[in-house]
Amino acid sequence: MSTKPDVADVVKERSMLMQKEMIAGNYDQLTMAGELGKKVSSTYVPGNLNELIMCFDMLNNLPEINAINNAMRKKSGGMIRDAEKMGHSEDVCTYVKADIGNMAKGSIAPNGKPMPAPDLLLLSYTGCFTFMKWFELLRDQYGCRTTMLHVPYEGDGKITDNMRDYVVRQLKE
C-alpha cells in the first residue's frame, strides 16, 4: 500500500497555505500603511475594485473580511454585543456590527496591530441598503472622504463601450 499523498490533497493544502500567507501579508501592509507612506481605501468585496485601488497605489481594506476574520477567531461575539449596546439594532447584519464593535475596541487586525483609519471610503456596490448605511457610519466615525463609483450591472455578462465610458467619466471627475 502506497503512503504517497494524493496530488489533489497536496495542491489543496498548498493553496490554503498560500492564501493564508497572502491574507497575513495584506494585514501586515495595512497595519504598516503609515510607515510605508501608503493611503488606505475601504471598500466592499462585491464591488471588486482591488485592481483599481492598486492603480492609485493605495492599500485596500475590506471591512467584511475583517469581520469574517474576527468571527473565525471567535472574537466577534463581544464586538456584536458592544455594537448593540451602542444602539445598533439586532436586525442589522452581524458583520456590520462586528466591524462597528471592532472599531470601538481600536480596530485591531488579526496580526494584533491597530488598523489605520481609511483615507477614502469607496462605495461601489449597493446590493442592499445596509452597505450604504454602514459606510455612512464609517464616514461619521473616521471623517474621511467618501466617494461613490457606480459600476453598471452586466445582466448578460458583457461590458459595452458605453458602460466602460461611463465608469471612466466618473474616474476623471
Side-chain angles (χ1 to χ4, degrees):
M1 183 167 195
S2 174
T3 59
K4 197 173 184 182
D6 181 44
V7 173
D9 289 339
V10 171
V11 169
K12 183 178 175 182
E13 184 176 335
R14 181 177 168 135
S15 175
M16 288 177 11
L17 289 173
M18 289 172 67
Q19 185 176 15
K20 186 177 180 179
E21 289 173 10
M22 180 183 70
I23 292 168
N26 184 60
Y27 278 112
D28 286 342
Q29 283 190 34
L30 280 169
T31 56
M32 292 174 43
E35 298 165 49
L36 298 171
K38 297 275 192 171
K39 301 281 185 187
V40 174
S41 172
S42 286
T43 191
Y44 306 123
V45 172
N48 197 16
L49 297 174
N50 197 47
E51 291 85 359
L52 176 64
I53 292 166
M54 289 168 39
C55 287
F56 290 100
D57 200 28
M58 297 180 81
L59 299 174
N60 195 7
N61 179 26
L62 301 166
E64 300 115 311
I65 300 300
N66 301 339
I68 290 167
N69 268 290
N70 283 321
M72 289 188 310
R73 293 179 299 126
K74 301 190 184 323
K75 294 188 174 217
S76 61
M79 295 172 185
I80 292 166
R81 282 189 297 278
D82 288 346
E84 289 173 353
K85 287 177 189 171
M86 293 163 51
H88 296 281
S89 171
E90 290 180 2
D91 297 332
V92 173
C93 297
T94 55
Y95 60 85
V96 173
K97 291 185 289 189
D99 185 53
I100 300 290
N102 188 28
M103 282 191 312
K105 293 191 177 301
S107 295
I108 303 302
N111 63 7
K113 299 175 183 174
M115 293 285 284
D119 298 288
L120 172 68
L121 294 173
L122 183 55
L123 181 67
S124 62
Y125 175 78
T126 55
C128 68
F129 198 58
T130 299
F131 282 106
M132 291 176 61
K133 294 313 255 175
W134 185 5
F135 267 40
E136 285 178 8
L137 293 169
L138 295 178
R139 180 195 62 215
D140 293 347
Q141 174 73 29
Y142 292 120
C144 66
R145 185 174 181 163
T146 306
T147 301
M148 172 68 176
L149 177 66
H150 182 248
V151 179
Y153 177 69
E154 300 168 33
D156 58 6
K158 294 179 183 172
I159 300 172
T160 66
D161 290 345
N162 189 42
M163 294 162 83
R164 183 200 60 234
D165 294 345
Y166 174 66
V167 173
V168 169
R169 275 193 310 273
Q170 291 177 76
L171 292 170
K172 287 182 176 180
E173 290 172 8

